[in-house]
Amino acid sequence: MSTTGQGTPARSATADRETVISRIIDAPRELVFEAFTEVRHLSHWWGPEGFTTTTRAFEFRVGGEWDFVMHGPDGTDYQEWISWTELTPPERITMLHGETRDDPNAFESVLTFEPAGAATRIQLHTVFPTKEQRDEAVEKYHAIEAGRQTLSNLAAYVTGILRKGAEC
């Protein structure tokens, strides 16, 4: 961490536009990473509690896109779009996320996957275009809690895969 001349932590130039969510998942990094890279996995865990996902198009490569709809528990549909901008398997995924390809409010997220013994520490670092968009995402759409729930769903999904494999 960098510090200022007075020994206090330096503040990132984008700190007021960021959210950071992390979790330790009791599964190998390669499996956790794979759960993000294959649509057959994503449809089982993506989104906060009570949400389901319908994929319209999916191509996991730099420049590829994931076009999907999240279906809320109240019946509301949320159009979503992700473009993969950087991929470093099994360590890092960088993506642009919005409602559509031309969404001026799209935000960038960086996912990192770090070994933590036999487990994986996953971190989701998001930078919004403006502080106001970040605040709206956090306050109106509960982005931090939704992100925590999504990572919880991922953890349950991949540990379930490991349990099933152990039972075979």
Side-chain angles (χ1 to χ4, degrees), residues 18-131:
E18 299 176 7
T19 61
V20 178
I21 303 163
S22 63
R23 181 182 179 107
I24 300 288
I25 297 177
D26 192 18
R29 176 169 73 163
E30 290 74 13
L31 177 59
V32 177
F33 188 88
E34 180 185 311
F36 270 93
T37 65
E38 296 186 19
V39 71
R40 68 185 174 96
H41 293 305
L42 284 165
S43 62
H44 291 283
W45 64 266
W46 182 267
E49 293 172 13
F51 280 75
T52 59
T53 302
T54 301
T55 295
R56 294 193 277 221
F58 183 87
E59 187 175 9
F60 189 76
R61 63 172 180 78
V62 172
E65 298 178 355
W66 181 22
D67 180 12
F68 61 104
V69 177
M70 290 177 50
H71 310 285
D74 64 356
T76 302
D77 287 340
Y78 300 90
Q79 169 62 44
E80 301 286 329
W81 171 89
I82 288 175
S83 177
W84 317 108
T85 57
E86 177 190 337
L87 304 173
T88 309
E91 302 166 9
R92 180 181 170 103
I93 297 171
T94 303
M95 59 190 178
L96 189 62
H97 188 163
E99 292 180 1
T100 62
R101 176 181 293 119
D102 300 320
D103 186 349
N105 299 319
F107 51 88
E108 183 178 73
S109 293
V110 178
L111 288 149
T112 54
F113 304 79
E114 297 176 5
T120 303
R121 180 178 188 274
I122 185 169
Q123 179 173 289
L124 172 60
H125 177 221
T126 300
V127 178
F128 292 86
T130 67
K131 177 189 181 311

Side-chain angles (χ1 to χ4, degrees), residues 156-168:
Y157 177 73
V158 296
T159 56
I161 288 173
L162 291 174
R163 265 194 309 280
K164 287 180 188 171
E167 294 170 1
C168 294

